[in-house]
Amino acid sequence: MGSIKHRMTRYIASASSIKSGCFNLNPLKLGPLFPPFSFSHSQSSITLPRSSFKKLSIVSAMDVSVAEPSKELPVGLDSTMVEEYDSLSKLLLQFTSIPSINKAWVFKSNTGKDSKAMFSINQSNLLANKSRKSLISASIRKDGNKPINFEWSPFPLELSGVALMVPSPSGSKLLMVRNPENDSPTKLEIWGPSALEKEFHIPQSTHGSVYSDGWFEGVSWNSDETLIAYVAEEPSPPKPMFNTFGLKSESSSDKDCNSWKALGDWEEGWGETYVNKRRPTLFVLNVDSGEVRAVEGIKNSLSVGQAVWAPSPKVSQQKLIFVGWSSDSRKLGMKYCYNRPCAMYAACSPFNELAGDDADHRCNKDSGVVILTQGINSAFSPMFSPDGKFLIFLSAKASIDSGAHSATNSLHRIDWPTDGNLNLSSKIVDVVPVVMCPGDSCFPGLYCSSFLTNPWLSDGRTVILSSIWGSTQVILSVDILSGYVLRLTPHDSTSSWNLLSLDEDNIIAICSSPVEVPEIKYGLLHKESSTSASWSWQDVSGLAFKCSKEVESLLSPLQFSIMKVPVRDGSEGASKPIEAIFVSAKREKSDSCNPLIVVLHGGPHSVATTGFSKSLAFLSSIGYNLLIVNYRGSLGFGEEALQSLPGKIGCQDVGDVLTAIDYAIDLKLVDPTKITVLGGSHGGFLTTHLIGQAPEKFAAAAARNPVCNLASMVSTSDIPDWCFVESYGIEGIAHFTSAPTKEHLSVLYDKSPIAHINKVKTPTIFLIGAKDLRVPSSNGLQYAQALKERGVEVKIFVFPEDNHAIDKPQSDFESFLNIGVWFKKYCK
């Protein structure tokens, strides 16, 4: 054991001698770059847990006399890389620490003129490897013609363990949801202006965690604030218990060391990010009594979400409107997949009998759950107008009809009966239809999936929302009676704008760009007449997304533009120029070009906007230009351009990217010998296709959870239908099967990057999430191993606890740190 101790000392001494910010982040949890310490002794090995790091440090300090200087380095590092890791990790830490605002709520002030606002802030907590949530408040002062003034509280307050916050309609109460750990109860807290007023502990026998995923999620107060509807996991079904004598005749909640609980039947879930989540079910809390009841009449085959209370003339006739997804057949992945059929339903409140009206006037539970949207195969995000006369909702009918996982959405309206009696033959009115082929600079269609809790202007007919417009995110107003759509954010702005909240008829938003950290903006409505209005935008001072002076100095010399890149073929809607966001340092014509990173979004039916990205800003700041390509098939350019891609993946999208690169080269913006490429998911599909189809083009590549072999992915992914639709086009809906034929597999293989693997020369780094259900880790690992067999230089990082997004703070940090180092190694 003496030799083991000696080698232990040498390893700790060498590791602690490296002065790198990323290495010192968390000595107790160093992450995948550092495997657990392992030392060989004869034929055995000893693996030391990371929790013993401090203990080992003490041993090494006591054993200096026997320790010899060592040049051993952590796995994956050589002496030439240490300094690079040191400087880049310190800089990346500064970008990672930039906070972001994800929600805001505005309340009327007692004075009537001013308002009060709360902002929810997220910030990466690298040591804990999760997001840190906090809350900061502000008073919004409105003094005549003077600029709006935000008076901020001195500090934000951290929200620990809070899954959801939902203010009541009057703004006098706040619901906080704290989801359980292990078998503990869910906690529902009702807060007043100065103190906690009520607290309810809901046991696991009633329901599991409340959904806070932004999709099934749906928490709604009723109008008199006595009932709260919400979506939570159904209670776990009883499982058989066994002991040494066989099956236990009675189940027990008490822990018994002489028995164990069987797993029971496999429960199918909704795929990526929904692992071990039970069926989303609708519940109602009675705030006065603390009683919780499930809404009756909902079939077990229906997963529900997005609940809202319907306006009702009588308390005893209260109804809930919600969205339901049927799972009579196989459940396919739900995350980012809007091509899952869904409908809007109505059901009675489970507490209507407590209202005191005669039974004849109560909502009839025996009539069951009623489908409101029989005539359309997709209906979600229900929202009532302030006067209760209209129910609006979004639809992804274009996605379902075509099979594309995301497409151009439409907005619809149902005229709601004032007496509360449902008319199942109510007409569904098209408010904003799908835009097929937008004109130049014209509205390209709706690309949003939800509304604010209160998105209405005071006229009761205008709704405000965020949507994609080309390569930017904008804020729109929609008149739900006329269908008139107006862009509210400046037409000359190439930044991206995200709607946070309304302050009566004014707007609070976030504005950012690839080279500018997000800033809060206040939009003022100027009514010019009864039929026309304009908007002006003000900077909000006092609270900024603080970044270090070093980050500020690195971003200040950068610039960006949206390039229009001509394409060679396609139908009318698919023959218009594509867009690419070009981020670069300001330079004289005689200066040499910085190395280029071609950045490719996933989907493929997603979009890269001009909004601020900490990861991409980090890469820009270390000396790289970025070419962020929105190839045909991206959102924000009309439905015809989007639908031009399915059936042509690996060809049209690859061609668009190469066209954009050549276009930038022709403009003398790019040194053709210093081009790298980075993409994740379908962006990784394009990355690995590009290094196979254009092997001389790229100096280095980085692929995050890439799709490399559709023929193997189709049998392991949570979205096998995606493989068929993107490979075959709309005919893929008919081809889709859980038992693909040899012919199917041949087509899928030929569409895949692995079909070109023998031509690849480009050094490539792979970032893989071990818990990815969307593109299982075997896909990227197979491709990486095949490259190694062929002598191509490869580096692989596998993150054991990450899924498809690789978004755990430590994993995201290590990913982009190593991407930066990899590109610098091959593209100086």
Side-chain angles (χ1 to χ4, degrees):
M1 291 297 292
S3 62
I4 296 175
K5 180 178 178 182
H6 178 66
R7 295 186 64 187
M8 285 163 52
T9 305
R10 290 178 60 198
Y11 199 103
I12 295 299
S14 63
S16 62
S17 67
I18 300 171
K19 299 176 181 178
S20 168
C22 77
F23 300 156
N24 293 322
L25 268 176
N26 188 352
L28 301 182
K29 191 169 184 180
L30 297 175
L33 186 63
F34 287 82
F37 298 110
S38 181
F39 308 98
S40 297
H41 181 61
S42 301
Q43 298 296 317
S44 62
S45 66
I46 299 174
T47 301
L48 302 178
R50 294 173 182 180
S51 59
S52 62
F53 189 93
K54 289 184 177 179
K55 188 174 181 180
L56 284 172
S57 299
I58 295 171
V59 172
S60 66
M62 295 174 62
D63 209 27
V64 172
S65 60
V66 296
E68 296 177 2
S70 172
K71 295 182 180 179
E72 288 185 63
L73 292 169
V75 174
L77 287 184
D78 59 47
S79 58
T80 62
M81 297 167 62
V82 171
E83 187 175 345
E84 199 80 74
Y85 263 83
D86 184 18
S87 61
L88 292 189
S89 64
K90 288 175 181 175
L91 178 60
L92 182 53
L93 279 172
Q94 295 179 55
F95 278 95
T96 303
S97 66
I98 299 172
S100 60
I101 291 180
N102 62 337
K103 283 186 179 179
W105 302 267
V106 176
F107 308 91
K108 290 182 179 178
S109 173
N110 295 331
T111 62
K113 182 173 63 172
D114 297 334
S115 305
K116 294 184 180 295
M118 295 193 311
F119 295 83
S120 174
I121 300 174
N122 282 359
Q123 189 175 23
S124 291
N125 183 348
L126 283 162
L127 292 177
N129 201 21
K130 60 185 180 182
S131 179
R132 175 181 280 116
K133 296 181 181 179
S134 59
L135 195 68
I136 193 165
S137 59
S139 295
I140 306 174
R141 304 296 185 193
K142 306 164 189 173
D143 187 6
N145 295 323
K146 293 182 180 179
I148 301 296
N149 181 35
F150 277 58
E151 296 179 357
W152 297 95
S153 57
F155 304 102
L157 297 175
E158 184 170 3
L159 296 171
S160 180
V162 177
L164 285 171
M165 294 189 305
V166 184
S168 65
S170 68
S172 63
K173 299 175 183 177
L174 178 69
L175 170 70
M176 282 195 177
V177 177
R178 300 181 190 272
N179 275 328
E181 295 182 3
N182 303 319
D183 295 328
S184 58
T186 299
K187 296 178 182 179
L188 305 179
E189 302 170 354
I190 309 294
W191 288 81
S194 59
L196 176 68
E197 294 183 351
K198 295 181 179 180
E199 181 175 6
F200 308 106
H201 290 204
I202 316 301
Q204 291 279 335
S205 58
T206 301
H207 63 66
S209 294
V210 174
Y211 272 83
S212 58
D213 62 329
W215 187 240
F216 290 117
E217 173 188 328
V219 179
S220 180
W221 293 75
N222 70 345
S223 58
D224 63 5
E225 303 182 357
T226 59
L227 301 175
I228 301 174
Y230 59 92
V231 178
E233 295 181 55
E234 66 180 345
S236 182
K239 303 288 179 68
M241 297 284 291
F242 297 93
N243 58 24
T244 53
F245 298 100
L247 179 67
K248 288 185 70 173
S249 56
E250 296 182 4
S251 61
S252 173
S253 59
D254 298 331
K255 292 186 178 180
D256 184 355
C257 61
N258 295 312
S259 64
W260 69 94
K261 183 183 288 188
L263 294 176
D265 292 351
W266 173 62
E267 298 175 39
E268 189 177 31
W270 286 108
E272 178 77 8
T273 74
Y274 292 107
V275 175
N276 298 324
K277 297 285 285 184
R278 298 190 297 277
R279 182 175 68 97
T281 308
L282 188 54
F283 296 88
V284 177
L285 166 71
N286 186 311
V287 175
D288 294 328
S289 67
E291 184 182 1
V292 172
R293 295 182 184 177
V295 174
E296 299 174 6
I298 300 175
K299 295 179 180 179
N300 289 335
S301 60
L302 206 63
S303 293
V304 306
Q306 305 178 11
V308 296
W309 291 96
S312 176
K314 293 188 177 181
V315 177
S316 60
Q317 294 181 340
Q318 291 186 102
K319 297 182 182 70
L320 281 161
I321 310 302
F322 60 90
V323 179
W325 293 262
S326 178
S327 57
D328 288 327
S329 57
R330 176 180 177 181
K331 287 182 180 177
L332 296 169
M334 182 68 76
K335 189 74 171 179
Y336 305 125
C337 293
Y338 301 98
N339 57 329
R340 309 298 177 221
C342 57
M344 286 197 314
Y345 297 79
C348 295
S349 165
F351 288 101
N352 277 343
E353 74 275 9
L354 302 180
D357 286 350
D358 294 337
D360 293 341
H361 294 93
R362 293 179 191 151
C363 182
N364 185 5
K365 293 181 184 178
D366 295 333
S367 62
V369 173
V370 176
I371 301 178
L372 300 176
T373 52
Q374 292 275 13
I376 193 168
N377 56 16
S378 172
F380 57 91
S381 295
M383 175 68 62
F384 282 96
S385 60
D387 59 10
K389 292 181 179 180
F390 309 109
L391 172 62
I392 63 170
F393 63 92
L394 294 166
S395 175
K397 185 178 184 298
S399 294
I400 294 172
D401 291 347
S402 66
H405 68 91
S406 186
T408 313
N409 288 337
S410 51
L411 177 63
H412 305 268
R413 184 189 82 233
I414 295 175
D415 295 342
W416 195 254
T418 55
D419 59 4
N421 295 319
L422 297 180
N423 181 3
L424 300 185
S425 61
S426 295
K427 181 183 178 182
I428 296 175
V429 179
D430 297 339
V431 178
V432 181
V434 170
V435 175
M436 295 303 296
C437 181
D440 293 343
S441 303
C442 292
F443 172 60
L446 272 184
Y447 301 93
C448 63
S449 58
S450 63
F451 300 110
L452 293 178
T453 303
N454 179 19
W456 299 95
L457 295 186
S458 59
D459 62 6
R461 58 185 284 174
T462 304
V463 65
I464 309 297
L465 51 84
S466 295
S467 186
I468 303 299
W469 190 308
S471 297
T472 64
Q473 186 173 29
V474 300
I475 298 175
L476 306 174
S477 69
V478 179
D479 186 320
I480 64 163
L481 298 184
S482 69
Y484 180 68
V485 178
L486 178 66
R487 178 172 172 172
L488 306 183
T489 43
H491 284 260
D492 59 353
S493 171
T494 52
S495 299
S496 281
W497 299 68
N498 183 38
L499 177 65
L500 284 178
S501 184
L502 296 186
D503 180 14
E504 296 180 324
D505 282 348
N506 302 319
I507 296 174
I508 300 176
I510 291 290
C511 177
S512 70
S513 80
V515 300
E516 296 165 312
V517 296
E519 294 180 340
I520 300 176
K521 302 283 187 178
Y522 193 87
L524 287 155
L525 171 63
H526 304 282
K527 292 183 179 178
E528 297 163 355
S529 69
S530 59
T531 58
S532 65
S534 63
W535 296 77
S536 63
W537 293 91
Q538 243 181 242
D539 294 337
V540 173
S541 60
L543 178 71
F545 291 79
K546 298 293 184 182
C547 59
S548 67
K549 290 183 178 179
E550 183 179 1
V551 168
E552 193 174 333
S553 67
L554 289 168
L555 292 178
S556 60
L558 300 180
Q559 60 186 357
F560 80 98
S561 62
I562 299 175
M563 296 167 43
K564 303 281 188 180
V565 181
V567 291
R568 301 185 183 91
D569 54 13
S571 60
E572 181 185 356
S575 62
K576 295 186 176 183
I578 62 171
E579 290 185 356
I581 305 163
F582 185 66
V583 184
S584 63
K586 300 167 186 173
R587 67 183 182 96
E588 300 295 332
K589 288 185 178 180
S590 58
D591 293 344
S592 61
C593 300
N594 283 343
L596 179 74
I597 302 175
V598 179
V599 182
L600 304 171
H601 67 73
H605 310 301
S606 179
V607 64
T609 71
T610 56
F612 183 75
S613 162
K614 291 183 278 189
S615 303
L616 296 185
F618 162 71
L619 294 175
S620 298
S621 72
I622 61 175
Y624 290 94
N625 292 346
L626 306 180
L627 185 67
I628 308 167
V629 183
N630 282 317
Y631 45 87
R632 281 173 292 177
S634 302
L635 302 178
F637 299 90
E639 188 65 8
E640 193 171 333
L642 185 145
Q643 294 294 348
S644 71
L645 181 57
K648 301 176 186 175
I649 58 167
C651 180
Q652 178 178 290
D653 45 5
V654 170
D656 285 354
V657 176
L658 291 173
T659 298
I661 295 171
D662 290 341
Y663 184 79
I665 291 173
D666 291 344
L667 292 176
K668 310 297 184 186
L669 299 174
V670 175
D671 181 343
T673 67
K674 296 180 180 180
I675 302 175
T676 65
V677 60
L678 161 65
S681 193
H682 189 83
F685 172 88
L686 291 175
T687 295
T688 46
H689 251 304
L690 285 161
I691 61 176
Q693 294 192 39
E696 307 296 338
K697 198 92 171 177
F698 302 97
R704 290 164 55 92
N705 281 332
V707 176
C708 299
N709 187 345
L710 290 162
S712 65
M713 176 181 164
V714 73
S715 300
T716 55
S717 171
D718 68 332
I719 53 166
D721 57 323
W722 179 92
C723 301
F724 279 91
V725 169
E726 297 301 336
S727 297
Y728 284 92
I730 194 169
E731 293 81 10
I733 298 174
H735 281 283
F736 172 51
T737 171
S738 295
T741 64
K742 289 191 295 183
E743 290 74 17
H744 289 144
L745 295 176
S746 178
V747 170
L748 296 176
Y749 185 91
D750 289 343
K751 294 278 186 179
S752 301
I754 202 164
H756 303 275
I757 198 162
N758 288 326
K759 296 179 284 183
V760 177
K761 303 175 183 178
T762 308
T764 306
I765 184 172
F766 291 86
L767 300 309
I768 306 292
K771 292 188 175 180
D772 187 352
L773 299 183
R774 185 67 29 108
V775 185
S777 58
S778 57
N779 219 258
L781 291 174
Q782 178 204 22
Y783 186 89
Q785 294 292 354
L787 287 184
K788 291 174 75 174
E789 285 178 5
R790 288 157 175 77
V792 178
E793 187 157 1
V794 165
K795 198 175 188 68
I796 304 169
F797 288 85
V798 174
F799 302 98
E801 299 301 319
D802 276 84
N803 53 29
H804 191 57
I806 315 182
D807 57 0
K808 289 186 178 295
Q810 291 176 8
S811 305
D812 183 69
F813 180 90
E814 188 172 348
S815 293
F816 281 93
L817 172 62
N818 282 286
I819 288 169
V821 172
W822 186 258
F823 285 170
K824 277 188 170 289
K825 179 178 179 181
Y826 293 100
C827 197
K828 293 188 182 297

